[in-house]
């Protein structure tokens, strides 16, 4: 399989609309014939990333690369950055506001879930400039 | 057991049903959406009182077999249309989450 590159814009502002990019990616991964559990892992990571970008950064862009060995998802935003990454990785820690919480988000599980369902997670963040979260999901051969 | 068998056994309300033959292999109850995504398994029936549109997205990403709105909760119109559009099995029951989970758990045992 050649490397396939996909780019999805993530709209900011409206949490209720979040999930469009993840839904589209999921359909594409299905068409590529990837194993169901791999698609599930990638979809959850992408959706959590989308939610984070909508809550904290007014949207951004998701870049997805698929090759024979792995799926790489890069979630890139120009938001406020994460001041304390270690804290942000703790289950239950959240800085999300009341609107997100009313909708069932803001449980402090976003990044922990991305870690749980990926084989590798890296966070490149600068306060005041933005954050890029990269997850890799390996495809068993 | 299939989603259709679950509907028949417990007289569930059908809001949207695109895959009645989907196998139900377990269950999860919860309303914090990220918590559900972290813990629910593929093939679970998911019991919740959340009725907003994001429920459809979570069900889709977590690959649950069906969503069951408990306590007589009705889906928001946007959840209903999103469930139909995305092919999410969306059901309901007037029972409490506790009672419904008990009965459904017994069916799967």
């Amino acid at each position: 399989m050649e490397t396939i590159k996909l780019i999805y814009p993530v709209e900011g502002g409206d949490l209720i609309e979040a999930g469009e990019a993840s839904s589209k990616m999921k359909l594409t991964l299905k068409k590529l014939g990837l194993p169901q559990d791999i698609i599930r892992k990638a979809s959850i990571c992408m959706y959590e990333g989308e939610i984070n970008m909508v809550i904290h950064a007014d949207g951004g862009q998701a870049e997805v690369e698929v090759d024979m060995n792995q799926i790489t998802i890069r979630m890139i935003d120009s938001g406020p950055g994460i001041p304390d990454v270690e804290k942000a990785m703790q289950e239950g820690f959240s800085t999300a506001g009341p609107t997100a919480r009313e909708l069932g988000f803001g449980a402090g599980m976003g990044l922990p879930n991305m870690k749980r369902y990926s084989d590798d997670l890296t966070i490149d963040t600068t306060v005041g400039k933005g954050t890029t979260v990269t997850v890799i999901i390996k495809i068993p051969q | 057991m299939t989603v259709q068998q679950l509907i028949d056994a417990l007289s569930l309300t059908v809001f949207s049903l695109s895959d009645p033959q989907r196998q139900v292999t377990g269950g999860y109850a919860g309303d914090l959406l990220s918590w559900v995504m972290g813990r629910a398994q593929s093939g679970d029936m998911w019991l919740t009182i959340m009725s907003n549109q994001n429920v459809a997205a979570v069900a889709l990403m977590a690959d649950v077999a069906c969503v069951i709105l408990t306590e007589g909760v009705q889906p928001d119109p946007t959840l209903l249309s999103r469930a139909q559009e995305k092919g999410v099995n969306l059901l309901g029951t007037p029972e409490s989450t506790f009672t419904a989970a008990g009965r459904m758990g017994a069916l799967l045992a």
Side-chain angles (χ1 to χ4, degrees):
Chain A
M1 190 201 294
E2 271 179 63
T3 302
I4 293 162
K5 288 187 186 178
L6 310 156
I7 291 177
Y8 303 96
V10 175
E11 297 287 326
D14 194 357
L15 201 47
I16 217 88
E17 291 295 332
E20 269 313 291
S22 316
S23 302
K24 283 181 189 153
M25 182 197 70
K26 187 179 177 184
L27 273 181
T28 305
L29 296 181
K30 259 190 181 169
K31 282 182 194 152
L32 290 172
L34 292 168
Q36 191 268 332
D37 61 320
I38 298 298
I39 296 175
R40 181 174 187 270
K41 285 178 178 179
S43 302
I44 290 176
C45 288
M46 175 93 151
Y47 185 53
E48 290 286 13
E50 243 190 285
I51 295 292
N52 275 347
M53 283 205 277
V54 176
I55 292 178
H56 300 289
D58 199 28
Q61 182 162 290
E63 298 179 2
V64 182
E65 277 182 29
V66 188
D67 62 29
M68 272 179 63
N69 302 312
Q70 61 188 40
I71 302 168
T72 306
I73 304 173
R74 250 177 240 106
M75 314 288 298
I76 305 156
D77 71 58
S78 310
I82 305 172
D84 188 338
V85 172
E86 205 178 310
K87 230 178 184 179
M89 288 305 301
Q90 285 172 15
E91 284 195 4
F93 177 81
S94 176
T95 58
T99 313
R101 289 173 196 268
E102 277 165 25
L103 290 169
F105 296 106
M109 293 291 289
L111 286 171
N113 275 349
M114 290 169 84
K115 189 174 172 64
R116 181 194 299 262
Y117 287 118
S118 64
D119 296 292
D120 187 63
L121 174 140
T122 49
I123 300 171
D124 182 8
T125 185
T126 308
V127 172
K129 285 207 165 164
T131 301
T132 297
V133 178
T134 306
V135 296
I136 292 173
I137 293 123
K138 295 208 167 118
I139 302 168
Q141 302 301 307
Chain B
M1 106 183 306
T2 64
V3 171
Q4 186 62 56
Q5 286 168 334
L6 186 71
I7 293 166
D8 295 340
L10 297 169
S11 306
L12 299 174
T13 308
V14 175
F15 297 117
S16 175
L17 186 62
S18 59
D19 189 3
Q21 296 312 311
R22 176 81 194 263
Q23 287 292 323
V24 180
T25 49
Y28 194 82
D31 305 316
L32 283 173
L33 301 183
S34 282
W35 198 276
V36 173
M37 267 196 295
R39 300 289 201 275
Q41 305 291 312
S42 177
D44 276 356
M45 53 177 129
W46 169 27
L47 280 65
T48 185
I49 54 162
M50 292 300 274
S51 56
N52 65 58
Q53 182 178 316
N54 301 109
V55 167
V58 170
L60 199 67
M61 303 313 155
D63 193 38
V64 295
C66 59
V67 180
I68 302 167
L69 301 180
T70 57
E71 321 269 357
V73 165
Q74 300 293 305
D76 291 357
T78 49
L79 170 57
L80 188 57
S81 59
R82 192 53 70 95
Q84 286 162 347
E85 181 193 328
K86 303 284 184 190
V88 172
N89 292 326
L90 183 64
L91 314 170
T93 175
E95 290 179 346
S96 73
T97 300
F98 181 83
T99 306
R103 293 182 65 192
M104 290 168 189
L107 275 178
L108 283 180

